[in-house]
Amino acid sequence: MEQRDTGRQGPPAWAPRVDPGPLLPDAAPYRVLGTEAARAADPALLRTLHAELVRGRRFNTQVTALTRQGRLAVYPSSTGQEAGQVAAALALAERDWLFPSYRDTLAVVARGVDPVRALGLLRGDWHTGYDPRSERVAPLCTPLATHLPHAVGLAHAARLKGDEVAALALVGDGGTSEGDFHEALNFAAVWKAPVVFLVQNNGYAISVPLAKQTAAPSLAHKGVGYGMPGRLVDGNDAVAVHEVLTEALARARRGGGPTLVEAVTYRLDAHTNADDATRYRDEEEVAAWRAHDPVTLLERELTGQGLIDEAGLRRVAEDAEALAAGLRDRMREDPPLDPADLFAQVYAEQTTQLREQAALLRAEIEAEAEAAGDTPGEAAAGAPPDGGGGAAGEGVR
């Protein structure tokens, strides 16, 4: 509040620093599909979004199967949430940055990162799996919301340098209960950083429903408290999410500051492959959301407008199956592992302690190799005696 001294006795008069009206989200989530606005949408965009949604759904099912085979340590599926992830990736300009959370592997792939590299962290064979700088995609963030201040920092730095760059940070509804979320929003609004926060509200923070996390009218309303607009959108409507994010990113690039977007969606699968979702939700609830499936919604719009036929649908499905087959084949190959990499990416210049530890490990590996009759090179590469991996479950697809 701006305080003004009126010269009168008593407290000074005050007025809101910012009119909260324009910052408030709509009363209901914004939608395009199934409305007249869909007729005005770019047909090419509709087809692209649909193709990416189908690929994304197949990607989720394939990676889930690979996790059951032991090819990944864990996989947080985004089945049911593909619209937000695909729309986020496609709304970004080439120079923009994506800051994903652990459930946003699909967004990373849709951004153009090689699928196997995108799964590197969840596979457990590399620190990130891809080069964040060249891909302009931050590492997948497992700790809830800790990547949001990083997104603000990058966006603020770009603004100070005069670069036309925006950052898009993805987080779940559970992440909005973390302090990092609130710190990031506060700094972003004060600095007018060119960053957009996309909250994918899928109803549950693991097993905790949204009603037990917040009493706010919506998560989008939280933006008002920090002085930024809040937008509420149907998270299963890929066209609506793409439109809202495109507008928010354009606003950020031209100096308008941050935006908080809440996409209302639903996680059809369990939290991860280690979770039993039947303990905290019933099948009736899941079935109701399956009727609002993002792939079905967009496919219905395309066929209704005559923008795709059976042959087109078949081509999209075949392309998605080719993605899954390639991923399946490549993930069966055990990556070459070098234990020396443990020390390679810690500091730009290794410390004395790291050099000592690396030397100790190298000596142990060479001693084991000599005892086993292997060459030092074979042992240093970390190849297990049986080739590793095994073939258990390879018939599951």
Side-chain angles (χ1 to χ4, degrees):
M1 296 178 293
E2 298 285 4
Q3 295 187 347
R4 300 191 297 272
D5 187 359
T6 61
R8 297 179 297 178
Q9 296 294 323
W14 65 271
R17 295 188 62 188
V18 177
D19 179 8
L23 305 181
L24 289 167
D26 296 334
Y30 175 67
R31 294 178 56 208
V32 172
L33 296 177
T35 73
E36 285 300 317
R39 296 282 174 178
D42 180 7
L45 174 63
L46 295 180
R47 294 190 191 95
T48 299
L49 286 169
H50 173 257
E52 289 298 325
L53 284 182
V54 175
R55 282 165 55 89
R57 177 63 55 84
R58 188 65 185 91
F59 175 82
N60 272 317
T61 57
Q62 183 59 70
V63 178
T64 299
L66 289 168
T67 305
R68 292 170 180 160
Q69 297 168 17
R71 293 295 173 180
L72 283 89
V74 67
Y75 183 62
S77 173
S78 58
T79 298
Q81 300 180 216
E82 294 94 345
Q85 307 230 344
V86 166
L90 296 185
L92 290 166
E94 185 177 351
R95 288 176 54 82
D96 293 338
W97 272 76
L98 176 68
F99 282 78
S101 73
Y102 62 92
R103 196 178 298 280
D104 301 319
T105 313
L106 175 56
V108 175
V109 173
R111 176 72 165 148
V113 175
D114 178 270
V116 173
R117 290 187 176 276
L119 293 167
L121 178 66
L122 299 173
R123 195 179 189 185
D125 62 18
W126 192 243
H127 300 286
T128 298
Y130 52 87
D131 179 8
R133 289 192 178 185
S134 64
E135 304 288 356
R136 303 185 86 80
V137 178
L140 288 164
C141 185
T142 300
L144 291 186
T146 57
H147 61 305
L148 302 185
H150 300 167
V152 177
L154 181 140
H156 181 54
R159 179 172 173 269
L160 292 178
K161 292 173 63 178
D163 294 341
E164 192 176 341
V165 172
L168 176 57
L170 278 55
V171 68
D173 50 287
T176 66
S177 297
E178 298 289 331
D180 302 81
F181 171 81
H182 300 277
E183 293 161 5
L185 264 64
N186 193 54
F187 276 113
V190 170
W191 288 338
K192 296 193 72 173
V195 58
V196 176
F197 303 96
L198 173 61
V199 179
Q200 297 172 89
N201 176 10
N202 65 23
Y204 292 91
I206 306 183
S207 60
V208 180
L210 185 65
K212 292 187 177 181
Q213 294 186 69
T214 181
S218 75
L219 294 175
H221 278 78
K222 293 181 180 290
V224 182
Y226 296 101
M228 71 177 69
R231 295 295 309 275
L232 187 61
V233 62
D234 183 341
N236 286 13
D237 185 334
V239 184
V241 180
H242 184 272
E243 180 181 322
V244 169
L245 291 179
T246 299
E247 291 175 355
L249 287 165
R251 176 178 176 273
R253 293 189 207 98
R254 63 175 179 264
T259 303
L260 174 63
V261 179
E262 176 189 355
V264 182
T265 183
Y266 193 78
R267 188 193 74 219
L268 291 175
D269 286 348
H271 176 69
T272 68
N273 52 292
D275 175 41
D276 179 9
T278 61
R279 295 178 302 163
Y280 53 85
R281 66 185 192 185
D282 54 45
E283 184 54 39
E284 288 77 10
E285 177 181 304
V286 179
W289 277 96
R290 287 190 188 280
H292 196 61
D293 184 284
V295 179
T296 304
L297 289 178
L298 189 48
E299 195 166 293
R300 184 183 303 151
E301 188 68 47
L302 283 168
T303 55
Q305 291 192 37
L307 298 177
I308 196 168
D309 55 15
E310 288 298 325
L313 293 173
R314 187 166 53 254
R315 283 193 298 271
V316 169
E318 289 171 352
D319 178 63
E321 191 55 46
L323 168 70
L327 179 62
R328 189 164 58 242
D329 292 341
R330 295 174 62 199
M331 289 291 286
R332 285 174 177 162
E333 301 172 3
D334 291 317
L337 302 179
D338 185 352
D341 287 340
L342 288 169
F343 310 98
Q345 306 293 335
V346 183
Y347 294 104
E349 296 182 9
Q350 285 191 345
T351 64
T352 301
Q353 284 183 321
L354 280 179
R355 286 196 296 270
E356 292 173 351
Q357 293 170 14
L360 179 61
L361 176 61
R362 186 164 53 250
E364 291 179 355
I365 291 174
E366 291 174 354
E368 290 179 0
E370 184 177 350
D374 296 331
T375 64
E378 290 175 343
D386 62 354
E394 286 190 351
V396 181
R397 295 194 175 187

